[in-house]
Amino acid sequence: MSEHSPTPPATTPGPTTNIDSPADGVKKAKGPLLGAIFLMATSAIGPGFLTQTANFTAQLGAAFAFAILASIVIDIAVQLNVWRVIGISGLRASELGNRVAPGLGWFLTLLVCVGGLVFNIGNIAGAGLGTNAFLGVDAKVGGTLTAGIAIAFFLIKRLGLALDYLIVGLGVLMIGLTVYVAVVSQPPVGEALRSSVLPDEYNWLAVTTLVGGTVGGYITYAGAHRLLDSGQTGPEHVRQVSRSSVTGIILTGIMRIVLFLAVLGVVAAGTSDLSGDANPAGAAFRIAAGEVGFRFFGMVMWAAALSSIIGASYTSASFLVSQRPDKRFTQNVVAIVFIVISCAAFVAIGTAPKQLLVFAGAFNGLVLPVGFTLMLYVALFRSKDLLKGYRYPKWLITAGLFALAIAWFLAVKAFQPMWALLSA
């Protein structure tokens, strides 16, 4: 990953690493590129997304399809631009910010890290819910053990080398199990399609929360920062950067749609009121597929939580420590401290992550337009120096400006209702 990545300098070629041959370079870059794709995808479909989607689907039914579609459209425009700007510049978002205006990068770092910390507390709580559903382990014990496993990936060299492939495996597991439940629950697909463009009601807090929980805050930069470790940066690698971002977007889009349909099938059946359940996603899996479905949910939630703990900690650390091979150990230490603080807060506040995860999504929805404004500013006005003379596509900037306008609109509309979530 980046300097905070558990992967040691010798095994992860960054921009300053010498590569003996093109074939060797491609082989060494493959792991980080796969890791970047799935880190973005699994960060976007973590416990927050599972809980937010189940919670709002239970409240809004098929009308929530509009929020799902809106989040996917915004995700495409945001990630294509963020990956391209960071990938071509070879600089982290915080470094770009400080190049544009002194202190701007550190302000963005503060927002991302605060949002990441809130989300990570929820991630660990989600891991506790997952282990409780899957193994019957106490949620606090399960969450703490999962945090320990995440720390191990930043400490142990051999585990660090396998991290990218672990994230890929967890992503495939999550999608596969959720597809199974979506098929079993038999959702009203036609009604969902209609509601995606003509919903019966508009809930802007729901849209902002889902957007923030799937593309806001640290999630915006998780894959792009990991991409820097592959060495595939600069204008000459723009096709690889674009292809990787599109692959990650497709994976997240599939997971969003499938989970929504899985929960919608349960809601449409009218057999239970999920909105009052402390664990609405788990309840949906249990109703759709019985005890086996509930165990499946535990595996999905745990996989989502572990990958999201790693993603949030790694990305937050990548904002705080410079992107150099000699700083990799420091980056790992910062990521570990981030996990320890999150875990301590989780143990202190208890095991009810529902409101916390929904609030974290809404908060990160407010962070999204701030950082994305920076990305588009660089694309529009600093391409000659920061993007090394690259001619940025007009269609991509246009799509980005459209998404940015929506992100600011959602942030304004959801700002006041967001705080009420903490007292709910």
Side-chain angles (χ1 to χ4, degrees):
M1 303 184 173
S2 93
E3 318 155 4
H4 305 226
S5 159
T7 310
T11 60
T12 306
T16 59
T17 302
N18 294 323
I19 296 175
D20 296 328
S21 68
D24 186 40
V26 171
K27 182 178 178 181
K28 289 184 178 181
K30 183 179 179 182
L33 280 175
L34 276 174
I37 292 168
F38 275 85
L39 189 64
M40 180 184 96
T42 54
S43 293
I45 52 180
F49 169 71
L50 295 172
T51 302
Q52 293 154 14
T53 298
N55 186 56
F56 284 117
T57 302
Q59 293 179 21
L60 304 174
F64 190 56
F66 174 76
I68 296 288
L69 180 61
S71 73
I72 292 174
V73 171
I74 294 172
D75 189 20
I76 292 171
V78 170
Q79 291 293 3
L80 284 177
N81 278 285
V82 169
W83 277 58
R84 190 163 298 214
V85 169
I86 290 177
I88 292 173
S89 68
L91 299 171
R92 295 171 300 142
S94 55
E95 293 171 328
L96 286 168
N98 286 329
R99 296 282 185 93
V100 169
L104 178 58
W106 289 114
F107 176 67
L108 179 60
T109 296
L110 176 64
L111 291 178
V112 169
C113 288
V114 169
L117 183 64
V118 175
F119 234 135
N120 221 30
I121 296 169
N123 289 337
I124 295 173
L129 285 178
T131 53
N132 179 261
F134 181 45
L135 301 173
V137 177
D138 179 79
K140 284 192 176 183
V141 174
T144 303
L145 288 175
T146 305
I149 292 172
I151 289 173
F153 279 98
F154 289 94
L155 281 177
I156 302 172
K157 179 179 178 180
R158 290 185 180 276
L159 290 180
L161 294 174
L163 181 57
D164 289 313
Y165 299 98
L166 170 76
I167 290 174
V168 171
L170 291 176
V172 171
L173 174 68
M174 290 159 60
I175 293 174
L177 293 176
T178 309
V179 165
Y180 167 77
V181 175
V183 171
V184 171
S185 69
Q186 298 180 328
V189 177
E191 185 181 355
L193 287 173
R194 179 192 64 80
S195 297
S196 65
V197 290
L198 293 172
D200 295 329
E201 62 177 301
Y202 294 90
N203 187 312
W204 298 116
L205 177 62
V207 177
T208 305
T209 298
L210 189 67
V211 168
T214 56
V215 71
Y218 80 90
I219 299 169
T220 310
Y221 314 100
H225 279 196
R226 181 69 181 103
L227 173 73
L228 297 179
D229 289 324
S230 71
Q232 306 288 299
T233 60
E236 66 274 18
H237 293 294
V238 67
R239 287 188 178 181
Q240 180 65 63
V241 170
S242 180
R243 188 160 54 245
S244 298
S245 62
V246 168
T247 304
I249 289 167
I250 290 172
L251 287 172
T252 57
I254 290 172
M255 185 63 176
R256 287 176 200 177
I257 293 169
V258 168
L259 179 69
F260 164 67
L261 291 176
V263 179
L264 180 61
V266 174
V267 173
T271 56
S272 178
D273 178 17
L274 299 180
S275 60
D277 200 293
N279 185 1
F285 273 56
R286 173 174 266 157
I287 293 167
E291 196 61 29
V292 172
F294 189 60
R295 301 293 179 185
F296 276 3
F297 160 77
M299 294 172 65
V300 170
M301 181 67 102
W302 182 82
L306 177 59
S307 56
S308 294
I309 291 168
I310 293 170
S313 305
Y314 159 72
T315 307
S316 298
S318 72
F319 271 84
L320 292 167
V321 181
S322 62
Q323 186 80 21
R324 299 203 317 263
D326 63 313
K327 293 290 187 178
R328 205 172 300 276
F329 175 76
T330 304
Q331 194 179 44
N332 288 351
V333 171
V334 172
I336 290 169
V337 170
F338 194 81
I339 295 172
V340 170
I341 293 174
S342 303
C343 187
F346 157 68
V347 172
I349 65 176
T351 59
K354 180 178 171 180
Q355 277 73 29
L356 181 62
L357 286 169
V358 175
F359 172 79
F363 181 85
N364 281 312
L366 304 186
V367 175
L368 170 62
V370 177
F372 193 42
T373 299
L374 167 65
M375 295 291 114
L376 291 183
Y377 177 84
V378 171
L380 279 166
F381 303 110
R382 299 294 298 272
S383 61
K384 287 187 177 179
D385 57 339
L386 294 180
L387 299 186
K388 307 170 186 177
Y390 174 71
R391 293 183 62 183
Y392 210 87
K394 291 182 180 179
W395 69 267
L396 193 53
I397 288 181
T398 302
L401 290 173
F402 175 73
L404 181 63
I406 295 175
W408 276 115
F409 171 78
L410 292 175
V412 171
K413 294 286 287 186
F415 182 79
Q416 190 170 356
M418 177 191 74
W419 300 106
L421 292 171
L422 291 179
S423 58

